Amino acid sequence: MRAENLYHTGIVVDDIEATMAWLARLAGYSWTDVVTVDQQAVTPDGEVTIPMKMVYSGAEPRLELLQSVPGTVWTPADSGVHHIGYWSDDVESDLTTLESNGLTCEVKSYNPDGSGTLLWAYAKGSTGPRIELVSRNMEPFIAYWWGTATTTTD
């Protein structure tokens, strides 16, 4: 993991649309299309399906807003910052490095192509926000998503 690979700050909120509108009014943010997906993931307790709803800001530095999902790691953080996300060329290896430095993997998701490669993972330490590792293979899809950003006013 390298500092220059940081590409977003994730914030879990209870009302994603209201937060988008508030940040648009307050700071002029534009937003990508909101994506809703049933995400397959693996937790220490086993495989789960998580109903995810998320959006990115159009401007850098990027904010990622995620709708809270009770009973998962996607609940609002006391600090306001849920996670900081880094591109990773090898999520498995970088996750191993984080774990060897005292962080614990909370949830991860594998590529649905059957290759067994990790697409992303969240790790949490005793202090600070979670670290999200995202496969650089997802960068073209996410960059396309960023291109959908439009101004939200409400």
Side-chain angles (χ1 to χ4, degrees):
M1 193 172 73
R2 299 173 51 94
E4 59 268 20
N5 290 333
L6 176 67
Y7 76 97
H8 78 273
T9 299
I11 304 168
V12 174
V13 298
D14 289 327
D15 187 333
I16 199 167
E17 286 84 5
T19 303
M20 289 168 60
W22 179 75
L23 285 168
R25 283 191 311 272
L26 181 72
Y29 276 93
S30 63
W31 299 100
T32 64
D33 294 336
V34 175
V35 170
T36 303
V37 63
D38 285 336
Q39 178 67 62
Q40 302 299 313
V42 179
T43 71
D45 296 326
E47 293 185 27
V48 295
T49 301
I50 303 157
M52 300 292 300
K53 184 175 184 180
M54 58 202 137
V55 66
Y56 276 102
S57 66
E60 293 182 351
R62 302 244 186 241
L63 294 180
E64 178 188 33
L65 302 181
L66 301 109
Q67 181 68 47
S68 59
V69 182
T72 72
V73 300
W74 290 278
T75 57
D78 292 340
S79 67
V81 175
H82 181 266
H83 68 271
I84 50 179
Y86 291 85
W87 294 122
S88 172
D89 292 319
D90 184 342
V91 176
E92 191 77 47
S93 175
D94 289 342
L95 181 58
T96 298
T97 299
L98 291 177
E99 290 173 327
S100 71
N101 282 284
L103 282 78
T104 301
C105 180
E106 291 183 303
V107 62
K108 56 189 174 182
S109 183
Y110 290 92
N111 192 325
D113 68 4
S115 65
T117 58
L118 282 175
L119 285 180
W120 56 265
Y122 279 4
K124 178 85 170 116
S126 59
T127 63
R130 289 172 178 84
I131 302 296
E132 180 185 23
L133 301 169
V134 178
S135 172
R136 198 170 291 277
N137 293 333
M138 292 186 63
E139 190 172 4
F141 165 77
I142 294 174
Y144 174 82
W145 186 13
W146 290 334
T148 68
T150 58
T151 302
T152 301
T153 57
D154 188 50

